């Protein structure tokens, strides 16, 4: 029980209550995700905290340390009352850092993986105006859209200058969290064929209950990657548990440097790893389409179906002692024809 | 001097001062863009106003009417003190509603225009975390990136429900304004070839000094399109003056409906028309690459160069009586090798 139990300098866990308007109310959460205290003053919302991160973060660390020593009057934390840590963001950029994912998804739609993908990361500008909370249902009107999940790790940055190098980019990482990048597989091929990237195919991601500072992650965070398995369950059954630190071709500083090539990244930019994936298929998958690609290649007669009404998905990352770091993304699918 | 001089119900002109933090300070501006008064209380920023638009807009209309009757203690409006009306937004979606632009740009890179582009609009999810103000310089480190402008009309929406029809979408348009969608032409072909849309090639757009309600536009706005010429000057010389209401294959309600197919569009979503363009090339162009495409086709020996250090671009739309509606986007180019 040593290790993560001690107080780590710079460690904080943050969440956002849905109450308090579109940006919710920022709270500091204890390590076990059982209680919370308001993060105000000066940081009523996570965006406000990120806008002044160098000044605000130390205050949040003090609150976190006090909360962990039972020195604050905290209230119970209810996952269903939580929005995404950033309920809406000014920027969501999603990379494709795990090339086994890229290779399998492209194979599924009959495309090879160009060699330059080994050195030049794929990344798309995603919709960030409405992020789903960790318990929010995924609602779609048409099961024929091919609903899939994508379990990822993401970082939230403070201000990043334009042209930052990968060597310098890591210092701008403020927080780490988990993502379900909801995908509508059967809308994507014709959308990408138009050449302007994703719009209909990515209706909006969901995020884990809490975001944590890199320091909170201890030895699992090496400054560039998060070395822990990401656990995915579909309807309570294990679906995959790839290690997020393994087979990550482009680490987070490299993804940030790529994103900042021609522009600054303002505070509150969320950058996703892309679907976590290991080359070894025995470890399972963080999205359905990868599993379908492997099934297709092995000549399976039926493919794993996409998500339908009433199904559930759970995405979580325990620490080496088995305790949840970010809390679980647990979403139910609601298909309602309009 | 009748016409637009009378008070139109629902008419408002809004701008945002740079002072007051990252979101600036919302002000109501008189019709001639000479004076301004703070829009608070309840709407310290434009995003705050849009978040409660049904409640806030009538208050802004009253302020505008009072300002126009000299009943308020107003301060002079200085264009250089203005940010974009929304200095940062949660969503920026840019359509390609003028097919003569699409056809010419594609021809310039050797691609045909698929027939389905006549019925299915092109639209990309753009970066919205940092919009340039109307007088902010465009800074790039490398003139080899092929700096171009794109003069457009855009709308800012209140909340739009998912799956809205084009017939119902128009009622959610809160404001209209002008955009310069800054483009790095020589980075775009290899970026689009990767299939995930724009990232490096679109470093961030600039917006006109003011945004206006549709009612402020009078007869020039038919509920779907803005029927006025858009004037573009490069280094003081006329570059183009296409009519924004002509040859617009997809009107604004159609663009909104397209954007909302699989998700809601939260208040403060900015939707661009794409580069305004008329089929008649004699009217000139709203971006350099279109002119280059026409020059190439006509066998010109030299092509109009992209923008370089010290050049300026001006984008403006006068009303039928010659008075500026939105104020001018006037930007200078600064190339500084890092």
């Amino acid at each position: 029980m040593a290790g993560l139990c001690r107080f780590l300098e710079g460690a904080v866990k943050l969440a956002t209550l849905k109450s308090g308007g579109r940006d919710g109310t920022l709270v500091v959460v204890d390590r076990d995700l059982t209680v919370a205290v308001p993060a105000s003053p000066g940081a009523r919302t996570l965006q406000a905290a990120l806008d002044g991160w160098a000044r605000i973060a130390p205050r949040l660390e003090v609150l976190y340390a006090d909360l962990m020593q039972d020195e604050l009057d905290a209230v119970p934390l209810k996952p269903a009352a939580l929005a995404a840590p950033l309920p809406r963001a000014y920027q969501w950029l999603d990379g494709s850092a795990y090339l086994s994912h890229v290779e399998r998804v492209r194979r599924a739609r009959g495309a090879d993986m160009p060699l330059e993908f080994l050195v030049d990361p794929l990344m798309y500008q995603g919709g960030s105006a409405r992020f789903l909370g960790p318990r929010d249902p995924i609602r779609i009107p048409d099961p024929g859209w091919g609903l899939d999940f994508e379990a990822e790790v993401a970082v939230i940055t403070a201000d990043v200058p334009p042209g930052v190098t990968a060597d310098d980019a890591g210092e701008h990482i403020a927080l780490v969290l988990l993502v379900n990048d909801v995908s509508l597989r059967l809308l994507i091929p014709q959308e990408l064929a138009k050449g302007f990237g994703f719009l209909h195919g990515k209706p909006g991601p969901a995020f884990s209950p809490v975001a944590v500072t890199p320091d909170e992650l201890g030895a699992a965070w090496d400054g560039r990657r998060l070395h822990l398995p990401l656990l995915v369950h579909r309807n309570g059954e294990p679906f995959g548990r790839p290690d997020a630190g393994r087979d990550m071709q482009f680490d987070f500083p490299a993804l940030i440097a790529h994103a900042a090539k021609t522009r600054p990244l303002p505070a509150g930019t969320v950058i996703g790893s892309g679907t976590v994936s290991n080359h070894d298929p025995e470890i399972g998958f963080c999205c359905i389409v990868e599993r379908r690609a492997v099934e297709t290649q092995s000549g399976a007669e039926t493919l794993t179906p996409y998500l339908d009404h009433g199904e559930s998905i759970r995405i979580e990352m325990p620490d080496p002692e088995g305790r949840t770091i970010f809390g679980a993304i647990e979403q139910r699918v609601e298909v309602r024809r309009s």
Side-chain angles (χ1 to χ4, degrees), chain A residues 86-145:
Chain A
L86 268 182
R88 52 181 179 175
Y90 294 107
Q91 184 152 250
W92 158 236
L93 295 164
D94 199 12
S96 282
Y98 300 87
L99 295 186
S100 46
H101 169 76
V102 177
E103 198 172 5
R104 287 171 187 143
V105 172
R106 291 180 66 91
R107 194 197 305 146
R109 54 171 206 261
D112 285 337
M113 191 176 76
L115 270 180
E116 64 260 32
F117 281 18
L118 293 169
V119 292
D120 182 28
L122 277 178
M123 181 176 283
Y124 72 89
Q125 185 93 41
S128 57
R130 184 200 61 139
F131 288 158
L132 295 177
R135 297 292 186 278
D136 289 346
I138 305 171
R139 293 197 176 102
I140 59 168
D142 186 346
W145 286 352

Side-chain angles (χ1 to χ4, degrees), chain A residues 269-285:
Chain A
T269 291
V270 187
I271 299 195
S273 66
T275 309
V276 174
S277 176
N278 290 165
H279 287 295
D280 175 11
E282 297 300 317
I283 203 86
F285 308 99

Side-chain angles (χ1 to χ4, degrees), chain A residues 53 155-158 169-176 214 221 223 252-253 256:
Chain A
W53 191 244
V155 297
I156 305 179
T157 72
E171 68 187 79
H172 304 291
I173 296 173
L175 296 164
V176 183
W221 176 256
F252 282 107
I256 293 170

